[in-house]
Amino acid sequence: MDHLDMKILSVLQKDGQISMARLSEQVGLSLSACHRRVKLLESSGKIANYTARLSRKAVGLEIQIFIEVKLASQRKEHITAFETAIRHMPEVLECHMISGEFDYLIRLAARNTEAYERLYRDRLSEIPSVTQMKTLLSLSTVKEFQGYHLE
């Protein structure tokens, strides 16, 4: 990837619906050269997909929650059981295996605390390999993910 590819990716992160003509203007390439580079970025997997970024609160998801999770052990069957269960929960936005006192960090959004409590009691607490969960309620968001810094 050269600096032109980086410019293309930076612009597309900000506006995935930008026209190819406008994109080519912004990065200083001909329309055909810009189109060719975008197609190469897509086919190489650098552009995974195009999506709409929704406003969490506007769609009724009032709270954002982070959960630290500790497993019974680091044995393969415990890791697999946990990760399989999490992959089947559409409410989970992200899940990261982490180092430190806890094994995983989960991020999710819910309509309200009652909805989160139901998810916690009915689904999260039922995962057999989990021994401890620590819930962290986000009070406000200072900065949300807007794309990767590519410079």
Side-chain angles (χ1 to χ4, degrees):
M1 278 195 342
D2 62 14
H3 75 285
L4 289 171
D5 288 338
M6 298 293 242
K7 280 176 80 171
I8 290 169
L9 292 173
S10 291
V11 171
L12 286 173
Q13 282 190 118
K14 291 180 181 82
D15 182 3
Q17 286 191 304
I18 191 170
S19 71
M20 198 57 65
R22 198 151 148 68
L23 177 61
S24 65
E25 285 175 20
Q26 286 194 20
V27 299
L29 287 171
S30 70
L31 183 60
S32 61
C34 186
H35 186 263
R36 185 173 49 253
R37 281 180 178 256
V38 169
K39 290 300 173 195
L40 285 170
L41 290 166
E42 290 170 350
S43 66
S44 69
K46 290 178 180 69
I47 297 174
N49 59 31
Y50 296 91
T51 62
R53 187 176 302 139
L54 306 180
S55 167
R56 177 177 51 81
K57 287 188 177 185
V59 297
L61 298 170
E62 290 295 323
I63 61 171
Q64 185 165 220
I65 302 114
F66 297 87
I67 308 163
E68 295 175 321
V69 178
K70 190 179 286 189
L71 300 185
S73 77
Q74 297 299 309
R75 292 178 32 211
K76 185 176 181 176
E77 59 268 17
H78 286 159
I79 291 170
T80 301
F82 174 78
E83 291 180 358
T84 299
I86 290 300
R87 283 189 187 100
H88 288 93
M89 292 184 188
E91 303 88 350
V92 173
L93 304 175
E94 296 179 42
C95 180
H96 304 271
M97 182 183 271
I98 59 174
S99 63
E101 183 181 344
F102 288 86
D103 300 311
Y104 289 90
L105 178 65
I106 296 172
R107 181 173 75 96
L108 56 88
R111 294 205 178 282
N112 51 41
T113 54
E114 292 82 14
Y116 171 62
E117 182 182 2
R118 278 191 307 277
L119 174 66
Y120 185 92
R121 287 178 182 269
D122 299 342
R123 311 255 317 277
L124 292 169
S125 66
E126 294 299 313
I127 302 172
S129 56
V130 173
T131 60
Q132 184 180 356
M133 289 188 291
K134 179 179 172 184
T135 298
L136 306 160
L137 178 65
S138 173
L139 299 176
S140 69
T141 301
V142 176
K143 181 180 179 181
E144 285 195 348
F145 180 74
Q146 297 291 313
Y148 296 104
H149 180 72
L150 299 175
E151 296 172 32

